[in-house]
Amino acid sequence: MAMTDQAPRFVNRADQKLWFERIPAPWWALAVVLLFLPVVANNFWLFQVMGWTFILGMIGLSLMFLAGYGGMVSLLQMSIAGMAGYMVAILGNSGTVTVSLGLAWWIVLPAAFLIAALFATISGALAVRTEGIYTIMITLAIAAAFFYFTRQNYTIFNGYSGFNLVLPPQLFGVNWRDPVPFYYLSLALAALSYGAVVYVSRSPFGLALQGVRDNPRRMAALGFNVTAHRVAAYALASVFASAGGILLVWQNAQIAPGTIGMSAAIDVLVVAVVGGMRRPLGPFIGAFIYVILQVFSPDILGFFGFSADRFKLIIGLGFLAIVLFSPDGVLGLWDRWRARRRQQQDQKTGGGVA
Amino acid sequence: MDDIIKRNPLRSLIIAILIAVFLWLVFAPWPPELVAKWGRKQIFLNALLGGITLGALYFLVAAGFTLIFGLMRVVNLAHGSLFLLGGYLGYEIASLTGSWFIAFPVVFLVVGLLGLLMQRFIFSKMEGEELRQTLVSIGISIVLADLMLWLWGGQSYSILAPGFLTGPMELPIINSINASTGATNWLRYPAVRVWILIAAIVIGVAMWLVLNRTALGMLIRAGVDDREMLAASGVRIQLVFLAVFGFGAGLAGMAGIIGGTFQSLSPGEDTRFLLASLVVVIVGGMGSIVGAALGSLIIGVTEQMGFVYAPTYSVVFTFLIMAAVLAFRPQGLLGARR
């Protein structure tokens, strides 16, 4: 820290905490739990539940970044993730040898990120032509068009059946589809994406983006290029979505139009809204709730005498309840609960504002 | 009209030539060279007419969507679900009573009532919170889609049209001329589709008349332009909202019966028609009935033409039209800039 060297010597030591001291204790606990989870959890939990949570969380995070900091609710993020996943299948190896090019992984992965980013930038440039709720309509239309296109087109996207046997490269002699390596891979990428969003949200670009969200006119008057900031946000968000999409392909070992269908696009929105779109943690919480519900819905529904197929009904009703009663998601509920508890404590002790 | 032609002579000429070519393509028998290049004329005519009738169906769905959006600023993403629900209900009623026609008023009332309830108890509670309303409508569409899957299962349904509507009818358009006998082959086209097209035109004209020639229409247009001012001048705007929402929902429900008659009903059709309404409204302009008609026509014909002449890329054409409109005229072809 360069600032510390020039700071006066008599600064109160309490203000000069090191960076790791400033991270609150619950975060350390969470990190320890996540790092040592493979010791206690079985493969199903590691691969299916947690792996899927991280993947869905990362795609949701890209939506949260756009919606929370940019004010643009994009239903396109699943399509961008799907585009990256499709590119991995098309450029790399898959069971469909007639289409897949079989290039080396160090070409495939950057190319997948690049093409997905290009797709996001072009769609974003279209979407930012209008504002507010129009964004939802346009991104939904683009997402649907991409879905129908992948389903119809056999020369590039192999139509209805898509690609199967899409496996991650055997880097460093590790099979990255084994539960434990896959868990750590997805955890690392999710943590990186989370850190990147937190970092960007405090960077000049992130602050300008939040300014654009709150008052585009004033930001334009201040000399900021509003459109460029919005398009750049789409491009940046595509990186997190692409990472999630590539992991998703490796986890399922296949990709088909169903992966990026309308319900999948809306699921990403559900995940982000249920978790809370104000903070980057929200999508991961939402994803965890979603995955837990999906995985255990047969048991829960069976307990109440319903068929296991009614999972979507639970998701829909839960989503409606969240939107109707707590628009800022589960995190919002948590914040309000904490605020109320603090108030009650203050009343007891008669103390001032904590 | 004269004025426009005088101001843009070149553009008018190009448009006139295009119209003439189009009319010739439709009405004249095709010379063999053209047939060799594009295939038989019947394929072209079928694609064109199919596109126009599909556009008529899109119009019925999108008209309610665009009215609701224009007046209330509610992007009702459950509109496709109302369409599918109307179709399923119409199927049940038609097979219960045996009458195709009874299904229409009943479905209009039931689905319209559902729309009324949605507006009264959900959307009016969060007026002005556009994003939240949209999210709620997504939630409703998820719930409705799953309820319908529960009740009607995953198979596809088809509603039978009454007897006098089935079978083909001859249209005054030359299909081909028999080279040896010289006899004219008139185009035969399913009667039900022709009647649907006529019905859509009648409904569209009626909506236009109500909007432009009646007191209620005046209120609605005033509400589209400036909702606050209308409310401030003493109009009970919530009632106008209810009427429009109910009408739009009922219209989507009736369109569901029509969609079930000339195509089929199955899970997934709701998102298909929601997407169609979105694209139609984006292309035509938000909140404009005439825009919805124009957009439906363009999208319907493009979709069918693409489907016939370039099957694997037909979606791309629709998308390109939308992208082009967004790039050059973000408010839509006939949308007002707000």
Side-chain angles (χ1 to χ4, degrees):
Chain A
M1 287 229 148
M3 287 296 287
T4 342
D5 301 336
Q6 287 138 23
R9 294 267 167 201
F10 46 83
V11 168
N12 190 353
R13 264 189 65 82
D15 297 338
Q16 289 291 302
K17 284 181 183 173
L18 290 170
W19 66 270
F20 57 83
E21 286 177 308
R22 276 184 274 142
I23 298 175
W27 284 96
W28 286 109
L30 182 68
V32 168
V33 167
L34 287 177
L35 277 177
F36 289 96
L37 196 66
V39 179
V40 284
N42 62 16
N43 285 347
F44 174 76
W45 269 85
L46 289 182
F47 190 67
Q48 291 295 339
V49 178
M50 294 313 289
W52 197 13
T53 299
F54 290 137
I55 290 167
L56 209 52
M58 279 157 78
I59 303 174
L61 181 70
S62 76
L63 167 58
M64 177 270 144
F65 178 74
L66 284 176
Y69 297 133
M72 300 171 285
V73 181
S74 153
L75 287 174
L76 198 63
Q77 300 316 111
M78 192 68 212
S79 308
I80 292 164
M83 178 63 109
Y86 260 117
M87 282 307 135
V88 166
I90 292 167
L91 301 174
N93 286 302
S94 81
T96 317
V97 281
T98 45
V99 180
S100 289
L101 297 174
L103 299 174
W105 65 269
W106 49 268
I107 304 176
V108 171
L109 292 184
F113 274 103
L114 266 181
I115 293 173
L118 199 66
F119 176 54
T121 312
I122 295 173
S123 323
L126 275 182
V128 299
R129 298 280 296 166
T130 54
E131 279 187 351
I133 37 178
Y134 294 80
T135 311
I136 293 189
M137 301 168 62
I138 287 159
T139 51
L140 183 63
I142 299 175
F146 184 56
F147 162 67
Y148 285 114
F149 181 59
T150 57
R151 212 172 62 169
Q152 279 182 354
N153 187 287
Y154 279 84
T155 46
I156 308 171
F157 291 99
N158 201 30
Y160 218 90
S161 41
F163 299 88
N164 52 15
L165 293 174
V166 189
L167 299 174
Q170 297 266 355
L171 271 190
F172 313 118
V174 179
N175 179 8
W176 291 100
R177 261 198 102 218
D178 280 343
V180 175
F182 188 81
Y183 172 78
Y184 280 119
L185 179 67
S186 50
L187 172 63
L189 282 177
L192 262 178
S193 308
Y194 178 84
V197 169
V198 171
Y199 177 78
V200 169
S201 71
R202 296 170 187 170
S203 70
F205 169 71
L207 293 175
L209 189 64
Q210 290 167 61
V212 166
R213 170 196 66 193
D214 293 335
N215 197 333
R217 244 187 215 185
R218 189 177 295 174
M219 290 304 280
L222 286 171
F224 287 88
N225 188 336
V226 170
T227 313
H229 274 82
R230 286 179 172 157
V231 176
Y234 270 98
L236 184 64
S238 83
V239 178
F240 315 128
S242 304
I246 293 172
L247 284 177
L248 186 66
V249 176
W250 286 345
Q251 190 199 27
N252 296 330
Q254 61 104 21
I255 187 162
T259 319
I260 55 164
M262 289 300 86
S263 63
I266 286 175
D267 282 347
V268 173
L269 181 73
V270 169
V271 157
V273 169
V274 166
M277 288 217 266
R278 298 253 173 90
R279 273 180 277 161
L281 189 61
F284 289 102
I285 294 177
F288 188 64
I289 296 174
Y290 180 91
V291 171
I292 290 286
L293 270 181
Q294 170 124 31
V295 168
F296 294 104
S297 65
D299 302 324
I300 303 168
L301 286 165
F303 182 76
F304 290 107
F306 288 107
S307 122
D309 303 334
R310 297 283 76 80
F311 156 69
K312 278 280 170 186
L313 196 58
I314 295 187
I315 289 289
L317 288 175
F319 178 68
L320 262 184
I322 286 281
V323 177
L324 287 176
F325 303 113
S326 173
D328 42 1
V330 175
L331 272 181
L333 278 181
W334 166 249
D335 286 344
R336 277 198 293 279
W337 181 73
R338 274 211 343 200
R340 216 173 41 221
R341 231 180 60 147
R342 199 176 296 154
Q343 263 181 355
Q344 280 172 351
Q345 267 179 350
D346 291 343
Q347 282 164 359
K348 267 184 230 153
T349 56
V353 181
Chain B
M1 194 71 188
D2 286 343
D3 202 35
I4 296 174
I5 293 174
K6 263 180 206 145
R7 264 185 292 148
N8 308 308
L10 192 67
R11 205 189 284 179
S12 312
L13 184 70
I14 293 173
I15 292 175
I17 291 175
L18 282 179
I19 291 176
V21 168
F22 177 76
L23 288 178
W24 181 81
L25 277 175
V26 171
F27 288 104
W30 284 15
E33 301 88 65
L34 196 61
V35 173
K37 206 166 187 181
W38 280 14
R40 290 189 305 135
K41 187 185 174 191
Q42 191 180 358
I43 297 174
F44 171 78
L45 282 182
N46 270 332
L48 182 67
L49 281 174
I52 294 172
T53 39
L54 188 67
L57 182 58
Y58 283 169
F59 171 72
L60 291 180
V61 189
F65 187 82
T66 198
L67 259 190
I68 290 173
F69 179 82
L71 185 61
M72 280 162 269
R73 291 271 166 278
V74 173
V75 177
N76 180 19
L77 293 183
H79 205 71
S81 311
L82 295 176
F83 166 86
L84 189 58
L85 180 67
Y88 280 137
L89 288 177
Y91 172 82
E92 292 297 333
I93 294 163
S95 44
L96 258 179
T97 60
S99 165
W100 190 64
F101 287 102
I102 288 184
F104 281 90
V106 177
V107 163
F108 183 80
L109 286 180
V110 173
V111 180
L113 188 69
L114 184 68
L116 280 186
L117 293 177
M118 271 161 60
Q119 162 65 15
R120 172 72 185 79
F121 291 106
I122 299 173
F123 292 123
S124 69
K125 303 280 179 208
M126 41 185 84
E127 223 178 282
E129 300 173 73
E130 296 167 349
L131 179 63
R132 212 168 143 211
Q133 287 173 327
T134 311
L135 293 178
V136 167
S137 74
I138 291 180
I140 293 173
S141 77
I142 299 175
V143 170
L144 275 182
D146 201 66
L147 284 177
M148 287 188 284
L149 185 65
W150 191 3
L151 287 173
W152 282 285
Q155 71 266 46
S156 76
Y157 291 83
S158 214
I159 304 172
L160 283 181
F164 72 94
L165 282 180
T166 49
M169 69 190 280
E170 278 193 348
L171 294 182
I173 301 174
I174 297 172
N175 187 10
S176 62
I177 292 177
N178 197 322
S180 50
T181 57
T184 316
N185 229 337
W186 300 103
L187 182 74
R188 294 163 72 80
Y189 198 70
V192 64
R193 292 187 163 222
V194 176
W195 285 109
I196 285 167
L197 177 62
I198 293 170
I201 292 172
V202 168
I203 291 178
V205 170
M207 276 173 78
W208 189 86
L209 284 178
V210 168
L211 274 179
N212 289 293
R213 294 282 181 273
T214 64
L216 177 67
M218 206 166 66
L219 287 182
I220 294 173
R221 279 182 296 135
V224 170
D225 281 345
D226 195 332
R227 182 164 74 176
E228 283 79 17
M229 211 56 214
L230 181 67
S233 55
V235 174
R236 294 181 66 186
I237 196 163
Q238 288 301 332
L239 291 182
V240 183
F241 283 4
L242 278 176
V244 168
F245 212 110
F247 177 75
L251 200 60
M254 289 206 301
I257 307 179
I258 294 174
T261 308
F262 90 157
Q263 290 176 334
S264 63
L265 300 165
S266 57
E269 288 294 287
D270 49 350
T271 41
R272 206 190 120 210
F273 276 87
L274 173 65
L275 168 76
S277 316
L278 285 178
V279 176
V280 160
V281 171
I282 290 170
V283 169
M286 321 262 175
S288 154
I289 291 289
V290 185
L294 185 66
S296 316
L297 192 66
I298 294 174
I299 296 302
V301 171
T302 311
E303 206 178 305
Q304 286 295 309
M305 286 284 177
F307 204 68
V308 170
Y309 289 105
T312 58
Y313 292 96
S314 68
V315 174
V316 179
F317 297 128
T318 315
F319 174 73
L320 282 181
I321 287 181
M322 192 187 88
V325 168
L326 277 177
F328 297 108
R329 214 179 144 81
Q331 73 272 35
L333 291 178
L334 296 182
R337 195 181 273 282
R338 280 175 223 284

